[in-house]
Amino acid sequence: MDSSSADRAAPPPEPAHQEPLEQLHRAALRTMARARHRARVRVAESAPAAQPGHHTRRQTGDPFTYDGAETAPPSDVAVLPGLPSWLPAVLGVLRGSSTVLRPEYGPDGTAEDFTVVGANHFELSGVQRGSYDFLGKLLSETRPGVRASGMYDVYRAALEARGPVSSDTIDHVDVVNGVLQRARLRGTVTLLPDEHLLLTNWEPVGEARLSRRIQQRGRMGWAEWDLVTGRVRWSQGMRDLLGLQAPLPEGVEDTKDVAPTIASAREVEADVRTVAGLLDPEDLPGFARDMRTLLAGGQLPDREVTVVVGGERRLLRWVAHAQPEDAGVPESLLFAARNITDQEARLSRALGDAERARREAETERRVSETFRKALVPPLGRLSPWWIDVSAAYVPSESGVGGDWYKCRELPDGRVLLAVGDASGHGVSAASRALQQRSALAGLAYTDEDAAQLATALGEVVYHDYYGSLDTTATCVVGHLHPDARVFRWASAGHPPPILVRDGEPRLLEAAYGLMLGVLPDAPYETNHTQLRAGDLLLMYTDGVVERRGRDLDAGTELLLDAVRGCVRHSGSGPEVMDCVVNHVLGPEAEDDATILAVHVF
């Protein structure tokens, strides 16, 4: 790193962290010395041994020995006869799309077109071409896009200036072999005054800028530590990550030409200490250990370190490897890093949200379990010997819902039987169901009949303080009169009960009223069903028969079929109910489902 970066660096590490840094410093010096020695040996071994009395002759085809007669120009260069012997060599070493042009003047002395008299093998779009394709041809005939792009203006400017002219970035669009090609180019055009020819060289631009843009948006960067020369090359993105901003010279898009040189022990130490000064002290021992691994020729997977830049803590994920691989003595170390502070923050927030959701779900599960026990409690023994009441409840896929039932023997000897379903799902529906069940428990101690209980319960639902304007419910509520064995009941928008007699189930036909909560004082009618020995009365919620994508009548028919089959193969009411649950509901229902069964002896 340069001295200005070192001056701006954080204070040296505390003494407790000094030893890992000193070890890293010594390892770096040893590795650099070995890498330099190895490079010198390799260069010496590759040099040809000179024979006494003999001179080394240049290889045939060396571009700088071309004289137009004894040797051929490079295979990727084409020139017309009669041109200077050095032109093919120049065209062969230029990196861009290069041509030699002869101006063609009009009557007024203005250059109107240009004839290609020499070219290399690079197309303006960046693809390769045959270097002989354009020789002796006018640009306007072979590449009309050159004129449209503004290149002609650059060529004329070079003729007028009688010297080199550099262009701004131009947008070149042309057709090459029937394919539309486009490239953003920047070039230099030079007049060869003795020959009165133009030498052009166009190269694609934007790669360095694109790299910087990607690094900036991706919050990433790279660096290379050349252990042979001691030179460190930093990308601008890496400087941004570490807060090592250094102004670049005008026209320089990368730091390779202004990177600092680390050639002495003092400079190596300063560089290491500068980086170490940015690290969180807790990360320094691990960082020093990883660097020693790299200096020994090893590779590193992902690592994470925290750096402090301008008071801001940044979490960086970095990878590195030594080059050449498995060489024992590396000649360079390559690094790539990315700022993942925001990513980790988002991950931390997501984990926090997930943990909160888990705790909320656990709390809701416990609340749901409490509601479930309150809404569907175990049934007690009733005084009338001739009836047996049993119940089954299956929660929905999402947990508890709005189903509830009530079975209680009243002081006057009647048995209150009710099944209801509050609208909605989850804990909110369960809370409303518990409210409705509790309200019915209090209302049941009046002398009102089933229809009056339904009206009173509907008023409770209509004025539900914790509900909303669309809060509703359904229920079947009734009294079983032991002396007469009559079930007097009312329905508020609820599925009709099923009466099984002589093994055949049927829906009870009766008057059905509005759902609870639609009107504050909705009237209901009391229905009378005479029971006799052997009858089975089933009261249930809509979760037993409703399924997504299935007609309600079809679901009711399936329930009747299941009851018919279960009655034939089962004995008591609880056995029949268990059989129906297994056939109709399975382990979980789409909506919570409740069945209340009354078996008459």
Side-chain angles (χ1 to χ4, degrees):
M1 297 181 184
D2 52 32
S3 59
S4 61
S5 297
D7 294 339
R8 295 191 304 270
E14 297 294 331
H17 301 286
Q18 197 73 18
E19 182 57 28
L21 192 57
E22 295 295 339
Q23 294 176 0
L24 175 58
H25 172 209
R26 292 191 292 269
L29 292 178
R30 287 195 301 269
T31 303
M32 289 178 63
R34 294 171 63 188
R36 289 169 178 168
H37 173 73
R38 178 176 173 177
R40 291 190 183 98
V41 171
R42 186 170 63 250
V43 172
E45 290 177 348
S46 63
Q51 299 295 329
H54 290 80
H55 298 286
T56 302
R57 183 178 178 180
R58 295 183 181 269
Q59 297 292 325
T60 302
D62 187 327
F64 293 101
T65 63
Y66 173 71
D67 59 7
E70 297 180 358
T71 59
S75 60
D76 55 0
V77 171
V79 295
L80 293 178
L83 294 180
S85 59
W86 49 266
L87 269 181
V90 173
L91 292 173
V93 299
L94 290 175
R95 296 184 302 176
S97 175
S98 300
T99 56
V100 179
L101 304 177
R102 184 178 64 216
E104 303 295 339
Y105 295 96
D108 59 354
T110 302
E112 296 180 343
D113 212 335
F114 298 88
T115 300
V116 179
V117 297
N120 65 6
H121 66 297
F122 287 114
E123 176 59 70
L124 287 171
S125 60
V127 300
Q128 290 192 349
R129 68 183 181 196
S131 54
Y132 288 87
D133 289 351
F134 303 145
L135 286 185
K137 300 177 182 178
L138 295 174
L139 282 181
S140 60
E141 299 174 354
T142 58
R143 285 294 177 263
V146 172
R147 183 187 295 273
S149 67
M151 289 184 179
Y152 271 35
D153 297 333
V154 181
Y155 298 158
R156 295 190 182 100
L159 290 173
E160 294 175 1
R162 303 191 61 80
V165 173
S166 296
S167 76
D168 295 328
T169 301
I170 66 170
D171 190 4
H172 173 69
V173 180
D174 215 331
V175 178
V176 181
N177 297 326
V179 179
L180 189 65
Q181 300 285 355
R182 181 181 183 180
R184 295 180 63 81
L185 304 171
R186 181 177 296 174
T188 301
V189 180
T190 302
L191 176 66
L192 306 178
D194 294 340
E195 293 79 15
H196 202 67
L197 300 174
L198 292 179
L199 175 62
T200 73
N201 184 55
W202 295 95
E203 296 185 42
V205 297
E207 295 181 1
R209 291 182 177 178
L210 177 61
S211 174
R212 289 183 61 182
R213 190 159 57 247
I214 291 175
Q215 292 181 70
Q216 182 180 17
R217 294 185 178 180
R219 308 185 73 181
M220 61 182 64
W222 56 263
E224 179 184 13
W225 185 1
D226 189 332
L227 298 172
V228 175
T229 65
R231 185 179 296 275
V232 179
R233 182 183 178 191
W234 303 90
S235 75
Q236 188 61 39
M238 184 67 88
R239 287 182 174 272
D240 293 341
L241 290 183
L242 299 178
L244 305 176
Q245 297 291 350
L248 298 178
E250 184 70 23
V252 176
E253 297 183 4
D254 198 88
T255 59
K256 63 182 180 179
D257 296 326
V258 294
T261 300
I262 304 177
S264 67
R266 180 179 179 183
E267 289 176 306
V268 173
E269 181 178 5
D271 181 74
V272 172
R273 291 186 183 278
T274 300
V275 176
L278 299 173
L279 290 174
D280 186 308
E282 297 298 325
D283 292 337
L284 182 56
F287 175 77
R289 184 168 55 253
D290 291 338
M291 288 296 297
R292 291 198 300 272
T293 299
L294 290 170
L295 290 169
Q299 315 296 320
L300 285 182
D302 287 359
R303 291 287 193 268
E304 292 183 4
V305 294
T306 299
V307 297
V308 181
V309 179
E312 174 192 355
R313 294 177 65 85
R314 298 178 181 177
L315 182 62
L316 305 184
R317 178 172 293 152
W318 65 287
V319 296
H321 66 275
Q323 289 281 19
E325 296 182 2
D326 303 322
V329 179
E331 296 182 2
S332 65
L333 303 181
L334 304 179
F335 304 87
R338 184 178 185 184
N339 186 346
I340 61 170
T341 306
D342 291 345
Q343 176 182 335
E344 288 298 309
R346 288 194 297 269
L347 177 60
S348 178
R349 287 195 297 270
L351 292 175
D353 292 344
E355 177 60 21
R356 283 193 295 274
R358 187 196 66 79
R359 291 197 298 266
E360 291 173 359
E362 178 62 21
T363 301
E364 183 169 347
R365 186 194 66 79
R366 292 196 299 267
V367 172
S368 298
E369 183 64 17
T370 302
F371 277 134
R372 186 190 67 80
K373 292 178 180 179
L375 294 171
V376 289
L379 296 173
R381 182 176 296 273
L382 301 175
S383 296
W385 60 268
W386 53 272
I387 61 173
D388 180 40
V389 181
S390 56
Y393 173 77
V394 178
S396 66
E397 298 173 349
S398 59
V400 73
D403 282 11
W404 58 272
Y405 63 78
K406 187 74 176 175
C407 176
R408 173 172 293 185
E409 187 174 355
L410 302 176
D412 59 5
R414 294 178 301 169
V415 177
L416 174 69
L417 297 173
V419 171
D421 184 7
S423 60
H425 300 278
V427 173
S428 61
S431 65
R432 291 194 294 273
L434 184 59
Q435 181 191 46
Q436 295 162 21
R437 184 179 183 275
S438 300
L440 179 62
L443 294 170
Y445 283 90
T446 66
D447 293 332
E448 295 179 343
D449 60 19
Q452 293 170 325
L453 288 180
T455 298
L457 189 58
E459 188 173 357
V460 171
V461 176
Y462 184 85
H463 295 288
D464 182 6
Y465 177 79
Y466 297 100
S468 59
L469 294 177
D470 59 351
T471 297
T472 57
T474 65
C475 78
V476 167
V477 58
H479 296 108
L480 186 61
H481 295 259
D483 295 339
R485 294 196 178 190
V486 174
F487 181 51
R488 295 184 174 93
W489 57 281
S491 175
H494 202 80
I498 294 176
L499 179 64
V500 183
R501 179 169 291 173
D502 299 329
E504 185 62 29
R506 65 181 178 86
L507 298 176
L508 291 179
E509 297 181 1
Y512 296 93
L514 293 173
M515 292 189 298
L516 302 175
V518 176
L519 296 175
D521 54 355
Y524 297 92
E525 295 185 23
T526 300
N527 306 292
H528 301 263
T529 301
Q530 182 66 53
L531 301 177
R532 66 188 188 189
D535 285 350
L536 178 64
L537 179 66
L538 298 177
M539 303 163 66
Y540 55 95
T541 59
D542 58 5
V544 177
V545 293
E546 285 186 348
R547 293 293 182 274
R548 284 189 293 266
R550 189 176 71 187
D551 184 71
L552 182 60
D553 292 339
T556 303
E557 287 299 324
L558 289 175
L559 175 60
L560 292 172
D561 291 341
V563 171
R564 185 178 296 109
C566 291
V567 168
R568 293 174 182 173
H569 299 91
S570 303
S572 65
E575 292 177 352
V576 172
M577 188 173 57
D578 291 341
C579 175
V580 171
V581 168
N582 291 331
H583 280 78
V584 177
L585 300 179
E588 287 187 341
E590 295 176 0
D591 190 10
D592 55 339
T594 301
I595 300 178
L596 187 67
V598 180
H599 194 194
V600 181
F601 296 102

